[in-house]
Amino acid sequence: MKQLHSIEELDQFIGEGGKRLLFKHSTVCPISTAAHDEYQAYLQGADIPAAMILVREDRPVSNEVESRFGVKHESPQIFLIDNGEVKWHTSHWKITKQAIGEAVNA
């Protein structure tokens, strides 16, 4: 999983096409830590490009996701992006290994 630090890295990640997962994570939030664990658990058995944005450390990138996709910022938050479009997103306790798998396989 790659960490995105700039809007250029976000552009490159999204521009590569196909299905990919993007996770917005707050390192100071226990709910986000639990969601991050679920995300990591899903990725262990998955073959899908994945990235993460640390919302406090890389705020401009996090804000760009909200602006670009028109999805209100939450943290934690996950997006399934397919060919540059958000196909699914959720946040907080709804981020589970099972929910991610169901979204990717839908």
Side-chain angles (χ1 to χ4, degrees), residues 1-4 21-45 50-55 57 74-79 90-98 100:
M1 174 182 35
K2 103 190 320 187
Q3 189 173 330
L4 306 178
L21 291 168
L22 179 61
F23 180 70
K24 292 171 69 173
H25 178 44
S26 171
T27 56
V28 297
C29 171
I31 296 170
S32 195
T33 298
H36 181 264
D37 291 347
E38 292 285 324
Y39 183 52
Q40 292 282 62
Y42 174 77
L43 291 177
Q44 285 181 2
M52 177 174 61
I53 298 167
L54 299 179
V55 297
E57 293 84 344
E74 297 188 65
S75 177
Q77 189 171 36
I78 191 168
F79 299 84
T90 195
S91 66
H92 294 85
W93 295 113
K94 294 178 185 173
I95 300 172
T96 64
K97 178 181 175 182
Q98 180 178 344
I100 298 166

